[in-house]
Amino acid sequence: MLSVQVKNARGEVLRKIAADPGFEPVLLGVDAAVHPHLAVLDPYGDTVFNYLQVKRLLLELDTYGPASGAPEAFLEELRQLCRLVLDGTHRFLWFIGS
């Protein structure tokens, strides 16, 4: 199961959440043409997004949510982490696989 963290450039964790078990875009076969950022989330390794990628990920989450089966509460928490990245400088969104 993935965990999601916002880290600064020094590697300090600013906030973290555990991903909902239903949030597995790659393992569930997300369409890379429609959701290119979600399609690269490595469920077994780490994936890091910078602020430019986070902006696009936010847009993808709006269209991914209804069809994915992932709980809206989790998707809203993920959006909040995205906004935390965008609200500061030198912040990154980390998806930590297991």
Side-chain angles (χ1 to χ4, degrees):
M1 175 167 41
L2 291 170
S3 66
V4 189
Q5 302 177 354
V6 174
K7 294 183 183 183
N8 63 21
R10 292 184 299 258
E12 299 166 331
V13 177
L14 305 178
R15 187 163 169 223
K16 64 182 177 179
I17 61 172
D20 187 275
F23 181 74
E24 295 183 350
V26 171
L27 296 178
L28 295 174
V30 67
D31 184 351
V34 178
H35 301 103
H37 291 81
L38 289 168
V40 298
L41 293 179
D42 184 352
Y44 307 109
D46 298 343
T47 308
V48 182
F49 292 141
N50 64 30
Y51 79 97
L52 293 172
Q53 294 162 317
V54 167
K55 284 182 181 181
R56 292 177 182 95
L57 177 63
L58 268 171
L59 296 174
E60 288 181 33
L61 290 174
D62 289 339
T63 58
Y64 176 74
S68 72
E72 184 56 38
F74 165 71
L75 294 174
E76 182 53 35
E77 284 185 290
L78 183 53
R79 287 183 192 99
Q80 288 175 11
L81 290 184
C82 289
R83 289 189 285 271
L84 181 59
V85 170
L86 298 176
D87 287 344
T89 56
H90 304 292
R91 294 180 180 177
F92 303 90
L93 186 67
W94 285 69
F95 289 86
I96 312 294
S98 57

